[in-house]
């Protein structure tokens, strides 16, 4: 048995949000349907100068700022289903802005919302083979549905970044998990489309069925019972789905603390499960040595239930106040601005980029994306590479 796990973790999202109270008025729906029926209050929305790369760099910068130096990172895995390029991995931009070593491998990985968990498990295997190495995993997605569709109030987006190492300070990833894969058309986005196509009811059914199967496999493989688990984080396309998941496996304890961040960010696909983990870490009094169950689901579909043990000194590696302030400092937009965001025509001529994050997409010239950083980037790099 290894101790490999998450050594540091951070997230980022757009500096703009749209209140679902406002959406409800314009869609002629009772706000109670969104707040209680679906479990969402706000959604992150993205101006045209923010994308999966800009928020990924921001999250990755925060995650690496919590480690001694970046010279032991020799693999970066970027997990996303919102990719804009079929060849170049979006992680290469992250590698550039973080000034990672030239001999650090970079790759992109996809399987809907499951992809960051696939990356986490691959990273764990990599560190098992290379115990001095660290792996930077970034999950970054922006979720868009057609205006007026049933999925609209569940839109959102965020990036999460975590470092996997042999000597983690946040969460030890335990061996043994339950996996379930089945070929189903519940949610997909053909290359030609900017918005996902989905069958809401089928996707909810398959999420729950896959949970039941993968959880049973996890228990059997690990020889544990449900009472061996202290908390559970569920993939949260919207809060109510996670609550239905809890009911499906007869989970009796509260999952409220896992859903605080998600309720004001919306679905962030690959990042979602790990934002629930961060929300739990930031909003619970003391979790040291607790076993956390994690349910990852990606439409299409692949599901995995696995678990981890919270490290003794995890509190020294989390920043709850900073995370709350970051979410509270976001800029609220009007319905008119929201409509422009949907058409990707922001900013209005009278607006400036001043509310956007530090990393921005400055231009697309000859189909080349050009990114900038407003301030200086703080990463520590020991110039003598290992290995
Ligand atoms: P809908 O069909 O508009 O909603 O969309 P509904 O009519 O089923 O109502 C939802 C709930 O609100 C119901 O409660 C209503 O009773 C309640 P439930 O029966 O579910 O407990 N309600 C009210 N409550 C309080 N006050 C009121 C009120 N009115 C109604 N006034 C749906 C819901 C989830 C289908 C939609 O949001 C959707 O299609 N979302 C997109 C797909 C999705 O998120 N699927 C989740 C599972 S798949 C997944 O997780 C993967 C994913 O993340 C993608 C990936 O892997 O990449 C999506």
């Amino acid at each position: 048995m290894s101790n490999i796990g998450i050594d540091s973790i951070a997230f980022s999202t757009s500096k703009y949000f749209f209140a679902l109270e406002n959406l409800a008025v314009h869609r002629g729906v009772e706000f109670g349907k969104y707040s209680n029926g679906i479990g969402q209050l706000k959604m992150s929305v993205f101006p045209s100068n923010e994308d999966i790369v800009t928020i990924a760099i921001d999250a990755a910068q925060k995650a690496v700022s919590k480690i001694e130096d970046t010279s032991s990172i020799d693999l970066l895995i970027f997990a996303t289903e919102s990719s804009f390029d079929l060849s170049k991995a979006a992680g290469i931009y992250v590698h550039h802005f973080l000034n990672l070593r030239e001999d650090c491998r970079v790759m992109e990985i996809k399987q809907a919302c499951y992809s960051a968990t696939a990356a986490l498990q691959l990273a764990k295997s990599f560190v098992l083979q290379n115990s001095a190495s660290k792996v930077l995993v970034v999950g970054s997605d922006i979720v868009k549905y057609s205006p007026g569709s049933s999925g609209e109030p569940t839109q959102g987006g965020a990036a999460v970044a975590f470092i996997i190492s042999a000597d983690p300070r946040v969460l030890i990833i335990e061996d043994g998990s339950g996996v379930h894969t089945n070929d189903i058309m519940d949610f997909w986005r053909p290359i030609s489309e900017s918005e996902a196509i989905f069958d809401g009811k089928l996707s909810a059914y398959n999420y729950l069925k896959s949970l039941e199967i993968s959880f049973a496999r996890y228990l059997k493989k690990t020889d544990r019972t449900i009472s061996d688990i202290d908390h559970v984080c569920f993939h949260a396309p919207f809060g109510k789905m996670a609550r239905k998941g809890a009911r499906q496996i007869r989970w009796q304890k509260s999952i409220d603390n896992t859903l605080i961040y998600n309720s004001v960010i919306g679905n962030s696909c690959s990042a979602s499960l790990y934002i629930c983990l961060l929300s739990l870490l930031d909003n619970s009094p003391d979790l040291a040595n607790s076993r956390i169950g994690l349910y990852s689901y990606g439409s299409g579909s692949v599901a995995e239930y696995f678990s981890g043990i919270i490290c003794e000194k995890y509190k020294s590696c989390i920043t709850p106040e900073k995370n709350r302030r970051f979410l509270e400092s976001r800029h609220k937009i009007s319905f008119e601005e929201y409509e422009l965001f949907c058409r990707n025509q922001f900013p209005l001529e009278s607006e400036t980029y001043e509310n956007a994050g530090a990393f921005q997409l400055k231009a697309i010239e000859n189909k080349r994306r050009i990114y900038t950083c407003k301030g200086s980037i703080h990463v520590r790099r020991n110039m003598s590479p290992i290995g």
Side-chain angles (χ1 to χ4, degrees), residues 29-38 81 111-114 143 145 149-154 186-187 198-201 203-205 207 235-238 240-241 244 247 267 269-270 297-300:
V29 170
E30 268 184 47
F31 176 52
K33 174 170 177 182
Y34 296 161
S35 58
N36 297 324
I38 287 176
E81 61 174 296
Q111 179 18 62
C113 302
Y114 171 71
V143 184
Y145 294 108
S149 70
S150 68
E152 187 181 26
T154 70
D186 62 332
F187 173 108
F198 60 98
D199 179 337
K201 303 289 175 208
S203 69
Y205 167 81
Y207 172 111
H235 165 56
F238 50 95
K240 185 70 162 289
M241 192 72 244
K244 286 185 183 183
R247 215 181 310 143
N267 192 358
C269 281
S270 59
Y297 175 79
S299 285

Short mmCIF file of all heavy atoms in Angstrom, two decimals, residues 29-38 81 111-114 143 145 149-154 186-187 198-201 203-205 207 235-238 240-241 244 247 267 269-270 297-300, ligand 1:
data_model
loop_
_atom_site.label_atom_id
_atom_site.label_comp_id
_atom_site.label_asym_id
_atom_site.label_seq_id
_atom_site.Cartn_x
_atom_site.Cartn_y
_atom_site.Cartn_z
N VAL A 29 -39.95 31.09 -14.57
CA VAL A 29 -39.89 29.90 -13.72
C VAL A 29 -39.81 30.37 -12.26
O VAL A 29 -39.20 31.41 -11.98
CB VAL A 29 -38.61 29.08 -14.07
CG1 VAL A 29 -38.36 27.97 -13.08
CG2 VAL A 29 -38.71 28.51 -15.47
N GLU A 30 -40.45 29.63 -11.35
CA GLU A 30 -40.30 30.00 -9.92
C GLU A 30 -38.84 29.77 -9.50
O GLU A 30 -38.28 28.70 -9.79
CB GLU A 30 -41.19 29.08 -9.07
CG GLU A 30 -42.58 29.65 -8.83
CD GLU A 30 -43.37 28.75 -7.90
OE1 GLU A 30 -42.83 28.34 -6.86
OE2 GLU A 30 -44.52 28.45 -8.26
N PHE A 31 -38.26 30.73 -8.79
CA PHE A 31 -36.86 30.59 -8.36
C PHE A 31 -36.69 29.33 -7.51
O PHE A 31 -35.63 28.69 -7.52
CB PHE A 31 -36.42 31.84 -7.60
CG PHE A 31 -35.03 31.76 -7.04
CD1 PHE A 31 -33.95 31.41 -7.84
CD2 PHE A 31 -34.80 32.04 -5.69
CE1 PHE A 31 -32.66 31.33 -7.32
CE2 PHE A 31 -33.51 31.96 -5.17
CZ PHE A 31 -32.45 31.60 -5.97
N GLY A 32 -37.75 28.94 -6.79
CA GLY A 32 -37.70 27.73 -5.95
C GLY A 32 -37.30 26.48 -6.74
O GLY A 32 -36.68 25.57 -6.22
N LYS A 33 -37.67 26.46 -8.02
CA LYS A 33 -37.28 25.30 -8.84
C LYS A 33 -35.75 25.23 -8.96
O LYS A 33 -35.17 24.14 -8.87
CB LYS A 33 -37.91 25.38 -10.24
CG LYS A 33 -37.41 24.26 -11.13
CD LYS A 33 -38.13 24.10 -12.43
CE LYS A 33 -37.47 23.00 -13.25
NZ LYS A 33 -38.06 22.78 -14.54
N TYR A 34 -35.12 26.39 -9.14
CA TYR A 34 -33.66 26.40 -9.26
C TYR A 34 -32.99 26.20 -7.90
O TYR A 34 -32.07 25.39 -7.78
CB TYR A 34 -33.17 27.72 -9.87
CG TYR A 34 -33.63 27.97 -11.29
CD1 TYR A 34 -33.60 29.26 -11.83
CD2 TYR A 34 -34.07 26.94 -12.11
CE1 TYR A 34 -34.00 29.51 -13.14
CE2 TYR A 34 -34.48 27.18 -13.42
CZ TYR A 34 -34.45 28.47 -13.92
OH TYR A 34 -34.84 28.71 -15.22
N SER A 35 -33.47 26.94 -6.89
CA SER A 35 -32.77 26.91 -5.59
C SER A 35 -33.00 25.60 -4.85
O SER A 35 -32.05 25.01 -4.33
CB SER A 35 -33.20 28.09 -4.73
OG SER A 35 -34.60 28.06 -4.53
N ASN A 36 -34.26 25.13 -4.83
CA ASN A 36 -34.55 23.88 -4.10
C ASN A 36 -34.64 22.67 -5.03
O ASN A 36 -34.08 21.61 -4.74
CB ASN A 36 -35.86 24.01 -3.31
CG ASN A 36 -35.76 25.09 -2.26
OD1 ASN A 36 -34.71 25.28 -1.66
ND2 ASN A 36 -36.84 25.83 -2.04
N GLY A 37 -35.35 22.84 -6.16
CA GLY A 37 -35.56 21.70 -7.07
C GLY A 37 -34.25 21.23 -7.68
O GLY A 37 -34.03 20.03 -7.86
N ILE A 38 -33.38 22.17 -8.05
CA ILE A 38 -32.10 21.81 -8.69
C ILE A 38 -30.92 22.00 -7.73
O ILE A 38 -29.92 21.31 -7.82
CB ILE A 38 -31.96 22.62 -10.01
CG1 ILE A 38 -32.94 22.03 -11.05
CG2 ILE A 38 -30.56 22.61 -10.56
CD1 ILE A 38 -33.01 22.74 -12.35
N GLU A 81 -13.26 18.53 -21.30
CA GLU A 81 -14.12 18.18 -22.42
C GLU A 81 -14.51 19.45 -23.18
O GLU A 81 -15.42 19.44 -23.99
CB GLU A 81 -15.36 17.41 -21.96
CG GLU A 81 -16.26 18.16 -21.00
CD GLU A 81 -17.53 17.39 -20.70
OE1 GLU A 81 -18.31 17.16 -21.62
OE2 GLU A 81 -17.72 17.01 -19.53
N GLN A 111 -12.74 12.28 -20.95
CA GLN A 111 -13.90 11.40 -20.84
C GLN A 111 -14.94 12.14 -19.99
O GLN A 111 -15.12 11.88 -18.82
CB GLN A 111 -13.55 10.02 -20.24
CG GLN A 111 -14.70 9.03 -20.06
CD GLN A 111 -15.98 9.27 -20.83
OE1 GLN A 111 -15.99 9.27 -22.05
NE2 GLN A 111 -17.08 9.47 -20.12
N ALA A 112 -15.53 13.15 -20.65
CA ALA A 112 -16.56 13.98 -20.00
C ALA A 112 -16.10 14.38 -18.60
O ALA A 112 -14.93 14.67 -18.38
CB ALA A 112 -17.90 13.25 -20.02
N CYS A 113 -17.03 14.38 -17.65
CA CYS A 113 -16.67 14.88 -16.30
C CYS A 113 -15.76 13.93 -15.53
O CYS A 113 -15.27 14.27 -14.45
CB CYS A 113 -17.93 15.14 -15.48
SG CYS A 113 -19.03 16.31 -16.25
N TYR A 114 -15.58 12.73 -16.06
CA TYR A 114 -14.73 11.75 -15.36
C TYR A 114 -13.23 12.05 -15.56
O TYR A 114 -12.38 11.54 -14.81
CB TYR A 114 -15.05 10.34 -15.88
CG TYR A 114 -14.10 9.27 -15.42
CD1 TYR A 114 -14.09 8.83 -14.09
CD2 TYR A 114 -13.19 8.70 -16.31
CE1 TYR A 114 -13.20 7.86 -13.66
CE2 TYR A 114 -12.29 7.73 -15.89
CZ TYR A 114 -12.30 7.31 -14.56
OH TYR A 114 -11.42 6.36 -14.15
N VAL A 143 -19.23 24.91 -19.08
CA VAL A 143 -20.43 24.16 -19.51
C VAL A 143 -21.47 25.13 -20.05
O VAL A 143 -21.91 26.04 -19.34
CB VAL A 143 -21.02 23.38 -18.31
CG1 VAL A 143 -22.20 22.53 -18.76
CG2 VAL A 143 -19.95 22.52 -17.67
N TYR A 145 -25.23 25.34 -22.17
CA TYR A 145 -26.41 24.71 -22.78
C TYR A 145 -27.16 25.79 -23.55
O TYR A 145 -26.94 26.99 -23.33
CB TYR A 145 -27.32 24.13 -21.70
CG TYR A 145 -26.73 22.96 -20.92
CD1 TYR A 145 -26.33 23.12 -19.60
CD2 TYR A 145 -26.60 21.71 -21.50
CE1 TYR A 145 -25.81 22.05 -18.87
CE2 TYR A 145 -26.08 20.64 -20.78
CZ TYR A 145 -25.69 20.82 -19.47
OH TYR A 145 -25.18 19.76 -18.76
N SER A 149 -33.10 26.07 -22.45
CA SER A 149 -33.19 24.60 -22.29
C SER A 149 -33.22 24.24 -20.80
O SER A 149 -32.90 25.06 -19.94
CB SER A 149 -31.98 23.93 -22.95
OG SER A 149 -30.81 24.20 -22.20
N SER A 150 -33.59 22.98 -20.53
CA SER A 150 -33.67 22.55 -19.12
C SER A 150 -32.29 22.55 -18.45
O SER A 150 -32.17 22.68 -17.23
CB SER A 150 -34.30 21.16 -19.02
OG SER A 150 -33.43 20.20 -19.59
N GLY A 151 -31.25 22.46 -19.26
CA GLY A 151 -29.90 22.44 -18.68
C GLY A 151 -29.40 23.84 -18.32
O GLY A 151 -28.44 23.98 -17.55
N GLU A 152 -30.03 24.88 -18.86
CA GLU A 152 -29.52 26.25 -18.71
C GLU A 152 -29.16 26.64 -17.26
O GLU A 152 -28.08 27.17 -17.01
CB GLU A 152 -30.50 27.27 -19.30
CG GLU A 152 -29.93 28.69 -19.33
CD GLU A 152 -30.92 29.70 -19.91
OE1 GLU A 152 -32.14 29.48 -19.83
OE2 GLU A 152 -30.45 30.73 -20.43
N PRO A 153 -30.05 26.37 -16.27
CA PRO A 153 -29.70 26.78 -14.90
C PRO A 153 -28.55 25.97 -14.29
O PRO A 153 -28.09 26.32 -13.20
CB PRO A 153 -31.00 26.56 -14.13
CG PRO A 153 -31.77 25.57 -14.93
CD PRO A 153 -31.41 25.81 -16.36
N THR A 154 -28.10 24.94 -14.99
CA THR A 154 -26.98 24.14 -14.43
C THR A 154 -25.65 24.49 -15.11
O THR A 154 -24.65 23.81 -14.89
CB THR A 154 -27.24 22.62 -14.55
OG1 THR A 154 -27.16 22.23 -15.94
CG2 THR A 154 -28.61 22.23 -14.02
N ASP A 186 -26.15 9.96 -23.25
CA ASP A 186 -26.90 10.77 -22.27
C ASP A 186 -26.48 12.23 -22.33
O ASP A 186 -27.24 13.12 -21.94
CB ASP A 186 -26.75 10.19 -20.85
CG ASP A 186 -25.32 10.19 -20.33
OD1 ASP A 186 -24.38 10.12 -21.14
OD2 ASP A 186 -25.15 10.25 -19.10
N PHE A 187 -25.27 12.50 -22.82
CA PHE A 187 -24.73 13.87 -22.87
C PHE A 187 -23.50 13.78 -23.75
O PHE A 187 -22.62 12.97 -23.51
CB PHE A 187 -24.37 14.31 -21.45
CG PHE A 187 -23.65 15.62 -21.33
CD1 PHE A 187 -24.28 16.74 -20.82
CD2 PHE A 187 -22.31 15.73 -21.69
CE1 PHE A 187 -23.60 17.96 -20.68
CE2 PHE A 187 -21.63 16.93 -21.57
CZ PHE A 187 -22.28 18.05 -21.05
N PHE A 198 -28.02 16.78 -24.83
CA PHE A 198 -28.21 15.90 -23.68
C PHE A 198 -29.63 15.40 -23.56
O PHE A 198 -30.56 15.99 -24.10
CB PHE A 198 -27.82 16.63 -22.38
CG PHE A 198 -28.65 17.87 -22.14
CD1 PHE A 198 -29.74 17.84 -21.29
CD2 PHE A 198 -28.33 19.06 -22.78
CE1 PHE A 198 -30.51 18.97 -21.09
CE2 PHE A 198 -29.10 20.20 -22.57
CZ PHE A 198 -30.19 20.16 -21.73
N ASP A 199 -29.74 14.28 -22.87
CA ASP A 199 -31.05 13.75 -22.49
C ASP A 199 -31.03 13.77 -20.96
O ASP A 199 -30.46 12.89 -20.32
CB ASP A 199 -31.18 12.32 -23.05
CG ASP A 199 -32.50 11.67 -22.68
OD1 ASP A 199 -33.12 12.09 -21.69
OD2 ASP A 199 -32.91 10.74 -23.40
N GLY A 200 -31.61 14.84 -20.39
CA GLY A 200 -31.52 15.09 -18.96
C GLY A 200 -31.94 13.92 -18.10
O GLY A 200 -31.23 13.51 -17.17
N LYS A 201 -33.10 13.34 -18.43
CA LYS A 201 -33.64 12.26 -17.58
C LYS A 201 -32.76 11.01 -17.67
O LYS A 201 -32.48 10.35 -16.67
CB LYS A 201 -35.08 11.91 -17.97
CG LYS A 201 -36.05 13.09 -17.93
CD LYS A 201 -36.37 13.55 -16.51
CE LYS A 201 -37.24 14.81 -16.53
NZ LYS A 201 -37.12 15.69 -15.41
N SER A 203 -29.61 10.91 -18.43
CA SER A 203 -28.32 11.16 -17.78
C SER A 203 -28.44 11.00 -16.26
O SER A 203 -27.57 10.42 -15.62
CB SER A 203 -27.77 12.54 -18.15
OG SER A 203 -28.54 13.57 -17.58
N ALA A 204 -29.55 11.50 -15.71
CA ALA A 204 -29.73 11.38 -14.25
C ALA A 204 -29.89 9.91 -13.87
O ALA A 204 -29.33 9.45 -12.87
CB ALA A 204 -30.96 12.19 -13.83
N TYR A 205 -30.64 9.17 -14.69
CA TYR A 205 -30.83 7.74 -14.41
C TYR A 205 -29.48 7.01 -14.44
O TYR A 205 -29.15 6.23 -13.54
CB TYR A 205 -31.80 7.13 -15.46
CG TYR A 205 -31.81 5.62 -15.42
CD1 TYR A 205 -32.58 4.94 -14.47
CD2 TYR A 205 -31.03 4.88 -16.31
CE1 TYR A 205 -32.56 3.54 -14.41
CE2 TYR A 205 -31.01 3.50 -16.25
CZ TYR A 205 -31.76 2.84 -15.30
OH TYR A 205 -31.73 1.47 -15.24
N TYR A 207 -26.43 8.23 -14.12
CA TYR A 207 -25.57 8.70 -13.02
C TYR A 207 -25.86 7.84 -11.78
O TYR A 207 -24.94 7.35 -11.11
CB TYR A 207 -25.89 10.18 -12.77
CG TYR A 207 -25.25 10.83 -11.55
CD1 TYR A 207 -24.27 11.79 -11.68
CD2 TYR A 207 -25.67 10.53 -10.26
CE1 TYR A 207 -23.71 12.42 -10.58
CE2 TYR A 207 -25.11 11.15 -9.14
CZ TYR A 207 -24.14 12.10 -9.31
OH TYR A 207 -23.59 12.72 -8.22
N HIS A 235 -19.89 13.77 -7.68
CA HIS A 235 -19.87 14.67 -8.84
C HIS A 235 -21.18 15.45 -8.82
O HIS A 235 -22.26 14.87 -8.66
CB HIS A 235 -19.74 13.87 -10.14
CG HIS A 235 -20.07 14.68 -11.37
ND1 HIS A 235 -19.41 15.86 -11.66
CD2 HIS A 235 -20.99 14.52 -12.35
CE1 HIS A 235 -19.91 16.37 -12.77
NE2 HIS A 235 -20.88 15.59 -13.21
N ALA A 236 -21.08 16.79 -8.98
CA ALA A 236 -22.27 17.62 -8.80
C ALA A 236 -22.57 18.48 -10.03
O ALA A 236 -22.20 19.65 -10.08
CB ALA A 236 -22.11 18.50 -7.56
N PRO A 237 -23.27 17.88 -11.02
CA PRO A 237 -23.69 18.70 -12.17
C PRO A 237 -24.67 19.78 -11.71
O PRO A 237 -24.79 20.82 -12.33
CB PRO A 237 -24.37 17.70 -13.10
CG PRO A 237 -24.74 16.53 -12.23
CD PRO A 237 -23.73 16.50 -11.14
N PHE A 238 -25.34 19.49 -10.61
CA PHE A 238 -26.16 20.45 -9.86
C PHE A 238 -26.39 19.79 -8.50
O PHE A 238 -26.31 18.56 -8.37
CB PHE A 238 -27.48 20.77 -10.59
CG PHE A 238 -28.27 19.57 -11.03
CD1 PHE A 238 -29.28 19.05 -10.24
CD2 PHE A 238 -27.98 18.94 -12.23
CE1 PHE A 238 -30.00 17.92 -10.65
CE2 PHE A 238 -28.69 17.82 -12.65
CZ PHE A 238 -29.71 17.31 -11.85
N LYS A 240 -28.80 19.08 -6.48
CA LYS A 240 -29.84 18.06 -6.24
C LYS A 240 -29.40 16.68 -6.74
O LYS A 240 -29.76 15.66 -6.15
CB LYS A 240 -31.13 18.51 -6.93
CG LYS A 240 -32.34 17.63 -6.69
CD LYS A 240 -32.85 17.72 -5.27
CE LYS A 240 -34.27 17.24 -5.09
NZ LYS A 240 -35.30 18.09 -5.66
N MET A 241 -28.59 16.65 -7.81
CA MET A 241 -28.13 15.36 -8.35
C MET A 241 -27.27 14.64 -7.31
O MET A 241 -27.41 13.43 -7.10
CB MET A 241 -27.34 15.61 -9.64
CG MET A 241 -27.06 14.37 -10.45
SD MET A 241 -28.50 13.71 -11.29
CE MET A 241 -28.65 12.13 -10.50
N LYS A 244 -29.47 13.26 -4.67
CA LYS A 244 -30.12 12.03 -5.12
C LYS A 244 -29.13 10.86 -5.07
O LYS A 244 -29.51 9.74 -4.77
CB LYS A 244 -30.65 12.21 -6.55
CG LYS A 244 -31.90 13.07 -6.61
CD LYS A 244 -32.46 13.11 -8.02
CE LYS A 244 -33.66 14.05 -8.06
NZ LYS A 244 -34.31 14.11 -9.36
N ARG A 247 -28.97 9.61 -1.60
CA ARG A 247 -30.16 8.77 -1.31
C ARG A 247 -30.01 7.38 -1.95
O ARG A 247 -30.36 6.37 -1.36
CB ARG A 247 -31.41 9.47 -1.85
CG ARG A 247 -32.63 9.25 -0.97
CD ARG A 247 -33.88 9.93 -1.50
NE ARG A 247 -33.70 11.32 -1.86
CZ ARG A 247 -34.28 11.90 -2.92
NH1 ARG A 247 -35.06 11.22 -3.72
NH2 ARG A 247 -34.08 13.19 -3.16
N ASN A 267 -22.16 23.74 -12.82
CA ASN A 267 -21.44 22.54 -13.22
C ASN A 267 -20.08 22.91 -13.79
O ASN A 267 -19.98 23.76 -14.67
CB ASN A 267 -22.25 21.76 -14.27
CG ASN A 267 -21.70 20.36 -14.51
OD1 ASN A 267 -20.69 19.96 -13.92
ND2 ASN A 267 -22.36 19.60 -15.37
N CYS A 269 -17.93 20.26 -14.63
CA CYS A 269 -17.54 18.98 -15.24
C CYS A 269 -16.32 18.34 -14.58
O CYS A 269 -16.40 17.89 -13.46
CB CYS A 269 -17.37 19.15 -16.74
SG CYS A 269 -18.98 19.15 -17.52
N SER A 270 -15.17 18.36 -15.28
CA SER A 270 -14.01 17.63 -14.74
C SER A 270 -13.60 18.16 -13.35
O SER A 270 -13.10 17.42 -12.51
CB SER A 270 -12.83 17.72 -15.70
OG SER A 270 -12.49 19.07 -15.91
N TYR A 297 -18.37 10.83 -12.06
CA TYR A 297 -19.20 10.34 -13.17
C TYR A 297 -18.99 11.21 -14.41
O TYR A 297 -19.03 12.44 -14.32
CB TYR A 297 -20.69 10.38 -12.79
CG TYR A 297 -21.59 9.98 -13.97
CD1 TYR A 297 -21.77 8.64 -14.31
CD2 TYR A 297 -22.21 10.94 -14.76
CE1 TYR A 297 -22.55 8.28 -15.40
CE2 TYR A 297 -22.99 10.59 -15.85
CZ TYR A 297 -23.15 9.26 -16.17
OH TYR A 297 -23.92 8.89 -17.27
N GLY A 298 -18.75 10.58 -15.52
CA GLY A 298 -18.64 11.31 -16.79
C GLY A 298 -19.56 10.67 -17.79
O GLY A 298 -19.48 9.45 -18.06
N SER A 299 -20.46 11.46 -18.35
CA SER A 299 -21.44 10.94 -19.31
C SER A 299 -20.78 10.18 -20.44
O SER A 299 -19.65 10.45 -20.81
CB SER A 299 -22.25 12.11 -19.89
OG SER A 299 -23.16 12.56 -18.93
N GLY A 300 -21.55 9.26 -20.93
CA GLY A 300 -21.03 8.54 -22.10
C GLY A 300 -20.86 7.04 -22.03
O GLY A 300 -21.04 6.39 -23.03
P1 LIG B 1 -36.14 19.90 -15.71
O1 LIG B 1 -36.67 18.80 -16.55
O2 LIG B 1 -36.44 21.27 -16.15
O3 LIG B 1 -36.54 19.77 -14.23
O4 LIG B 1 -34.55 19.80 -15.66
P2 LIG B 1 -37.71 18.95 -13.50
O5 LIG B 1 -39.01 19.38 -14.05
O6 LIG B 1 -37.38 17.48 -13.45
O7 LIG B 1 -37.54 19.59 -12.05
C1 LIG B 1 -36.35 19.46 -11.34
C2 LIG B 1 -36.72 19.36 -9.86
O8 LIG B 1 -37.27 20.62 -9.42
C3 LIG B 1 -37.81 18.31 -9.54
O9 LIG B 1 -37.44 17.72 -8.32
C4 LIG B 1 -39.06 19.16 -9.35
O10 LIG B 1 -40.03 18.57 -8.52
C5 LIG B 1 -38.46 20.40 -8.70
P3 LIG B 1 -37.04 16.17 -8.28
O11 LIG B 1 -38.22 15.40 -8.75
O12 LIG B 1 -35.86 16.02 -9.23
O13 LIG B 1 -36.66 15.93 -6.86
N1 LIG B 1 -39.30 21.61 -8.82
C6 LIG B 1 -39.44 22.51 -7.82
N2 LIG B 1 -38.94 22.55 -6.59
C7 LIG B 1 -39.25 23.63 -5.81
N3 LIG B 1 -40.06 24.66 -6.24
C8 LIG B 1 -40.57 24.64 -7.47
C9 LIG B 1 -40.28 23.53 -8.34
N4 LIG B 1 -40.61 23.20 -9.61
C10 LIG B 1 -40.00 22.01 -9.87
N5 LIG B 1 -41.34 25.64 -7.88
C11 LIG B 1 -32.61 18.38 -15.45
C12 LIG B 1 -33.80 19.02 -14.74
C13 LIG B 1 -31.62 17.79 -14.51
C14 LIG B 1 -33.14 17.25 -16.32
C15 LIG B 1 -31.89 19.45 -16.29
O14 LIG B 1 -31.30 20.41 -15.46
C16 LIG B 1 -30.86 18.88 -17.21
O15 LIG B 1 -31.18 18.27 -18.22
N6 LIG B 1 -29.52 19.10 -16.91
C17 LIG B 1 -28.42 18.71 -17.78
C18 LIG B 1 -28.05 17.24 -17.67
C19 LIG B 1 -27.50 16.88 -16.30
O16 LIG B 1 -27.00 17.71 -15.59
N7 LIG B 1 -27.56 15.58 -15.93
C20 LIG B 1 -27.06 15.13 -14.66
C21 LIG B 1 -26.50 13.72 -14.70
S1 LIG B 1 -25.33 13.51 -16.01
C22 LIG B 1 -23.85 14.17 -15.41
O17 LIG B 1 -23.71 14.40 -14.26
C23 LIG B 1 -22.79 14.44 -16.41
C24 LIG B 1 -22.62 15.90 -16.81
O18 LIG B 1 -21.99 16.60 -15.75
C25 LIG B 1 -21.84 16.02 -18.12
C26 LIG B 1 -20.51 15.29 -18.26
O19 LIG B 1 -20.27 14.19 -17.76
O20 LIG B 1 -19.70 15.84 -19.00
C27 LIG B 1 -23.95 16.60 -17.05
#
